[in-house]
Structures are given as structure tokens and as C-alpha cells.
Amino acid sequence: MLHNRGITGGQMAPRILIRASSAIDARGETAPASLLVEGGEIIEIGTPQQVGDVPDARIVDATDAVVLPGLVNAHCHLDLSGPGPVPFTGSFASWLDEVLHLRGDATPESMAAAVGRGIELSLAGGTAFVGDIAGVPRTTQLEVLRSSPLGGTCFPEFFGLGTRQQAAIEEMDSILAEHGGGDRDVLLGLSPHATYSCGPRAISHAVDRGVPVAIHVSESLEEARFLADGSGAFREKIERLGAWNEGVEIPGTHPVDYILDLLGDRPALLVHLNYVEPRHLDLLADANVTVAYCPRASDYFGHPSDGHHAYQAMIDHGIPVALGTDSLLCLDTPDRISVLDEMRHLHRRDGTEVSTLMTMATHHAARGLGLDPSLVDFSPGATGGVIAVGGVPEGGRFVDALHLDEPPRWLVPPVSS
Ligand SMILES: [Zn+2]
């Protein structure tokens, strides 16, 4: 037992002993559970018999709850938390028009307010770390995120096809020079927006920078059509936005083949992958990628059209799949932004195993964001916080909490600032 750790500067940090119906992380579930935490560090976890009494610890009674590490939302757009839900009318291209229009009206002040609301809703959902996409003006979101309790990676977003790639590349370099590096709780990554909105040179430039990179890939069939022959709704949209130019290259391949060819063995977080073919599974497993699946957002847009996202087959092939929420615009929980609700959604829809769900919401997501996975499990050492999901029956386990709608509460809050 390690009950004498945590003495810093001659002062004993407050220690708490959490008693819970069960404790679960990506490594397994303990029920009933005792969790000893001191000064934001996990000291010990086990059954009450294993951990024993800790005379100087404050007891936190969570015996009506399951405790989890603070969660990781691998893909969100916190800067779209200002407006309410945007009804989906059946066309992704016109929905996106509406979202771009909302963004176009934003001032730095309204953007900061929207991100602030997104952070509040994320914390209300038990989120400790986010992979947040930041549209223009980009640095406002980064600053707001860096002054919040959330950790994670901020991905400034870039568009640029054909002759416009050079401008995107210069913008990427300038934001990295000004805001990157250092030992930060919020890392600075890059997001070339998508395969159809950012050219190959710009995508390659981003992944060559050695920072976390997130790209929307194979989200819709309209994307596949545009990459195949340059036609369809996205071609019209790109022309309408004035982004088409004579330098645009049409790869003539499937979005997944296109991006994997571009990446080689360089790492990236591929967002959505709603449309993959069986032959892609081995290719994805051999690549250095993490997939971010946003179940409620995909369902909201009717992706994939047959209703069967390949996330389970991906996991069976050894591909790390993380969970994301995408934006608040697509969610059915106006009071929180949480991958806990994505876990509930998958468990109810597909009967997905709790161990798979926990790994998706913690270890896999941390990998995709370039974070240390041990921050989001109960192994001894630094932690991104501890949450409790209450309302479970006596002797309840996490699987019981997946059938409830109870929001999580923080027992040990995340500490980055
Ligand atoms: Zn997105």
C-alpha cells in the first residue's frame, strides 16, 4: 500500500477515499470499489478489503454510483455551441451551408462565448479532454480552451484546394510558430478540414509538422462522388463558394484510399469514416491512424445509409476507434456534450460491450489526440479527474448506468488551467 505518498513541500495534500458501487476504466471493472486519490493523483484502486481503511482520508460516499475516469471527446466543434440545434433537411451540402453561414456571422466575442458554453456543457458531461476543431478565427478558441479546466488538443481548421493550398500552408505555419510548442495542457494540432476541401499538398504539410492532425474523411457519399470524378453536390458547393480553381486535383479514388496513400505511416485522427469498404479494414489496421466515430451525429445525418457503421469490425481488426460528439447542433442532450451519451447510444442500439465502450471513450481517444492514456484510467499517478454516474441499483455496475440518462458529476475535477 502506498498511503504515505503525496507529501509535497512539507504539506500533506488532501486525500479522499471514494467508495463506489463499481469503478471502471479501460483496464477493467472493480465492484464494489475503493479509490484513494490525493492531490489529483490516483494512489490506489481495489475492493474495499484490498484498499482497507485510510484514517486520514475524507470519505466520499458514491455507493449509489459507478465511477469512471474523466472522459475524452475525440471530436467536437465547441465553437458551434452558440446556436441551438440546426434541423437537418436531408442534404448535407445545404446543412453545411447553414453552419458556415452561422460561423460567418461570428465575431471574436460571440466565438469566445460559444466556446465558453461548449466548455461548460462538456464539463457537465464529465469530459476532461477534448479534440476540438477551431474554425476561423482559430486563436480565440485556443485561448478560451487554454484558460479552461479542460485539457486536450485544439485543431485549428484550414481549407484550401488547388492554388489555394499555399495560403493554407502559410496560415498553418504561422499559427504553429505563434502558439505551438511548450508543455501545455491544451496541445496545438492542425485540421486540414476534409479530403474534398483541402488539397493533398496542404494535408501532407499538416501531417509533416509532427503535431496531432485531425481530418474529416469519408463522411458522406457526396464526398466519395467528388473525389471519384469531381462532380456532384460538393462540386457545385465548392464553385458557389468561389473555392474552385484550375489547380484542383481530382484523385479518382475512394476517400479512404486517397487519405491512406497520402499519409503513408504518418499518424492522423480520421473523423467519421462512415463509408468504408471491407477491403479498407486491413489497410486502416496497417496505417498509423485513429478513427473518431461520432455515433449520434452519424445517425442524425443518416450515415452510413445502410445504418451500419463499421466501428466494431474496425476494432476487431485492431484499429483504434475513439468516440466523439461532433457539434451540439446534432445532439439530443441540450444540457451537456458527452461521450457518455455516445456510449449509451451504442449500447442501446448495438449492445456494444462495456469494455469496448470504455476503451473508445478513454485510451483510444487519448491516442488520437496525442495524450498520455494513463491520464484517463485509474492507474497510479496523474489523472484527468474522476466522475460518478449515479442512480444505479444497489450493487450496480456500469452496464446499469448505460440504461439511465443521469448526467455524470465530478468527484475529482480536472485540473488543467
Ligand atoms: Zn466535425
Side-chain angles (χ1 to χ4, degrees):
M1 302 218 182
L2 300 165
H3 292 171
N4 289 321
R5 277 183 40 171
I7 300 168
T8 46
Q11 288 208 318
M12 188 76 87
R15 52 170 64 183
I16 61 173
L17 184 65
I18 299 166
R19 294 199 190 284
S21 183
S22 122
I24 185 168
D25 66 10
R27 304 168 314 149
E29 184 161 20
T30 306
S34 278
L35 184 61
L36 183 63
V37 185
E38 179 173 328
E41 290 200 2
I42 305 291
I43 303 298
E44 191 178 5
I45 182 170
T47 64
Q49 291 75 19
Q50 287 167 333
V51 176
D53 288 333
V54 185
D56 58 343
R58 179 169 63 86
I59 304 288
V60 173
D61 182 1
T63 49
D64 65 341
V66 176
V67 300
L68 287 71
L71 300 169
V72 190
N73 185 349
H75 182 70
C76 56
H77 296 257
L78 296 182
D79 60 18
L80 293 173
S81 306
V86 173
F88 181 56
T89 53
S91 157
F92 181 67
S94 56
W95 184 89
L96 205 56
D97 276 347
E98 198 147 339
V99 170
L100 291 173
H101 177 68
L102 287 167
R103 269 218 186 124
D105 291 344
T107 61
E109 292 74 29
S110 70
M111 191 61 94
V115 178
R117 178 151 184 259
I119 290 167
E120 266 174 46
L121 296 175
S122 297
L123 289 167
T127 311
F129 300 96
V130 290
D132 183 38
I133 305 291
V136 171
R138 307 185 184 109
T139 50
T140 303
Q141 294 95 315
L142 178 66
E143 282 157 16
V144 176
L145 207 49
R146 280 189 168 162
S147 62
S148 84
L150 290 180
T153 301
C154 178
F155 295 98
E157 182 173 60
F158 300 88
F159 295 81
L161 287 170
T163 56
R164 295 181 167 221
Q165 293 178 89
Q166 188 55 34
I169 286 169
E170 284 164 19
E171 288 173 28
M172 289 179 197
D173 288 347
S174 109
I175 198 166
L176 285 179
E178 204 174 331
H179 299 278
D183 185 15
R184 300 284 203 153
D185 291 320
V186 176
L187 304 173
L188 182 62
L190 294 170
S191 180
H193 168 255
T195 58
Y196 60 86
S197 59
C198 227
R201 211 157 62 76
I203 292 174
S204 241
H205 187 80
V207 289
D208 269 344
R209 303 277 72 73
V211 298
V213 170
I215 315 167
H216 295 87
V217 179
S218 209
E219 179 171 10
S220 68
L221 292 170
E222 288 149 331
E223 173 182 345
R225 180 168 171 195
F226 178 73
L227 260 62
D229 62 9
S231 71
F234 278 11
R235 169 63 177 267
E236 286 164 31
K237 180 182 173 53
I238 288 162
E239 287 190 3
R240 195 155 25 87
L241 292 171
W244 182 265
N245 58 70
E246 69 285 359
V248 179
E249 301 146 72
I250 300 301
T253 54
H254 188 283
V256 174
D257 295 308
Y258 170 62
I259 200 71
L260 291 181
D261 272 354
L262 262 181
L263 290 175
D265 58 2
R266 298 174 293 183
L269 178 65
L270 306 185
V271 181
H272 298 310
L273 291 194
N274 288 325
Y275 296 92
V276 300
E277 295 170 6
R279 66 186 178 82
H280 289 136
L281 295 171
D282 285 334
L283 298 174
L284 286 162
D286 287 341
N288 194 0
V289 298
T290 302
V291 176
Y293 173 37
C294 305
R296 285 182 294 169
S298 285
D299 283 3
Y300 172 90
F301 291 118
H303 294 315
S305 47
D306 68 0
H308 298 292
H309 191 280
Y311 73 97
Q312 186 67 59
M314 291 176 185
I315 290 169
D316 294 342
H317 275 73
I319 302 159
V321 182
L323 288 173
T325 59
D326 224 341
S327 78
L328 181 63
L329 307 174
C330 316
L331 301 182
D332 52 2
T333 47
D335 61 329
R336 60 186 188 255
I337 299 175
S338 181
V339 292
L340 173 62
D341 296 303
E342 305 296 340
M343 289 194 259
R344 285 169 164 157
H345 184 74
L346 289 187
H347 186 73
R348 291 168 189 175
R349 194 190 69 189
D350 304 338
T352 314
E353 293 276 345
V354 292
S355 58
T356 301
L357 296 170
M358 278 306 300
T359 304
M360 294 172 86
T362 56
H363 280 183
H364 284 174
R367 179 190 198 269
L369 301 185
L371 308 173
D372 177 357
S374 76
L375 289 171
V376 286
D377 64 29
F378 291 139
S379 58
T383 172
V386 179
I387 59 173
V389 186
V392 297
E394 202 180 328
R397 299 256 188 150
F398 184 51
V399 68
D400 300 303
L402 290 175
H403 292 284
L404 306 169
D405 287 313
E406 195 88 6
R409 64 181 196 273
W410 288 96
L411 302 181
V412 178
V415 289
S416 50
S417 61

